Amino acid sequence: MPHPFSPEDFPINEDIVLQPTKVFYLKGCIHFKTTAKILDLSGRVRQPFNGDFSHAFLDEAEQAARKAEDSPAYEIKSSGNMMRTLKTLTDGRSGEKVCDLNITFVSFDSSRVRFPAGSSHSRHEVELCPVEGSSDASRHEAFVKNSIPYFWDMTRGRVGILYKCLNQKRVEVARVAGYGFDKDAVIVLNGNEVDDVVAISTCIILLNGRDAMDA
């Protein structure tokens, strides 16, 4: 079912630009069948992020990811069937479950991120649904966290933007770009406005797409 919220109801706040506080490299997280890694590169990329991904920023992120590959912040594994797949995100150090990504490949269904009881990342399940009226609903989806609407807009090719609705306007709180022969991605986010696991997990759902039969 489409989400009742529409980005058209929330104009973009052009006065606020994305100020990333965290950088993550999503290693092998696109169309993967077994295990992928999420590497925290925060503080390790010297190139400035000036509103969009430069080649220099992405190249330095990839170099930093090589050095961090043996100590991922999170790991993610897959299982499932032809209609739905389950990806489990675990802490890279402790191995404890962080959340489950229950991803649908059916156009009329929704995907969900489920968190263990007492999770510091979210007190409730996050349901990701296509935006009503979107010309490409599989690349434009919405979710609600703590009664606040968020919109992932991935209709711009290799770059996706996560908006948070604040004061009846959309504010950019994360941005992702594909990298590494369509298997990897780099995401930058404002950790003061969005939880990193919520941003990363919902991003991975959209990067894999409803037509990505990777179970």
Side-chain angles (χ1 to χ4, degrees), residues 10-21 49-53 149-153 156 159-166 169-177 186-194 199:
F10 303 91
I12 296 174
N13 189 335
E14 304 286 356
D15 296 328
I16 299 178
V17 297
L18 175 61
Q19 300 289 342
T21 62
F49 181 85
N50 296 317
D52 207 347
F53 293 100
Y150 292 77
F151 296 97
W152 261 119
D153 183 352
R156 309 180 185 206
V159 175
I161 298 175
L162 177 62
Y163 293 103
K164 179 180 182 178
C165 294
L166 295 171
K169 290 187 176 182
R170 278 179 289 157
V171 174
E172 183 178 348
V173 295
R175 184 174 285 230
V176 65
V186 178
I187 183 171
V188 297
L189 60 92
N190 183 343
N192 298 317
E193 294 293 348
V194 62

Side-chain angles (χ1 to χ4, degrees), residues 101-186:
L101 284 64
N102 198 329
I103 305 174
T104 183
F105 300 125
V106 182
S107 60
F108 55 80
D109 203 356
S110 60
S111 296
R112 294 174 172 83
V113 183
R114 296 186 173 121
F115 299 87
S119 171
S120 62
H121 299 288
S122 180
R123 299 192 302 270
H124 59 81
E125 173 183 287
V126 171
E127 183 179 14
L128 197 62
C129 303
V131 170
E132 187 172 8
S134 172
S135 60
D136 191 356
S138 67
R139 307 293 290 170
H140 201 176
E141 304 208 14
F143 65 90
V144 174
K145 182 176 184 290
N146 298 336
S147 302
I148 298 175
Y150 292 77
F151 296 97
W152 261 119
D153 183 352
M154 292 193 175
T155 62
R156 309 180 185 206
R158 293 177 63 85
V159 175
I161 298 175
L162 177 62
Y163 293 103
K164 179 180 182 178
C165 294
L166 295 171
N167 299 320
Q168 299 301 309
K169 290 187 176 182
R170 278 179 289 157
V171 174
E172 183 178 348
V173 295
R175 184 174 285 230
V176 65
Y179 190 84
F181 302 102
D182 297 326
K183 292 293 184 182
D184 303 344
V186 178

Side-chain angles (χ1 to χ4, degrees), residues 29 34 46 57 66 76 78-79 86 93 106 120 159 164 171 173 175 182 200 204 214:
C29 285
T34 53
R46 291 171 295 177
F57 184 93
R66 291 183 187 179
I76 186 166
S78 296
S79 63
L86 179 68
R93 293 173 293 275
V106 182
S120 62
V159 175
K164 179 180 182 178
V171 174
V173 295
R175 184 174 285 230
D182 297 326
I200 290 168
I204 288 174
D214 68 336

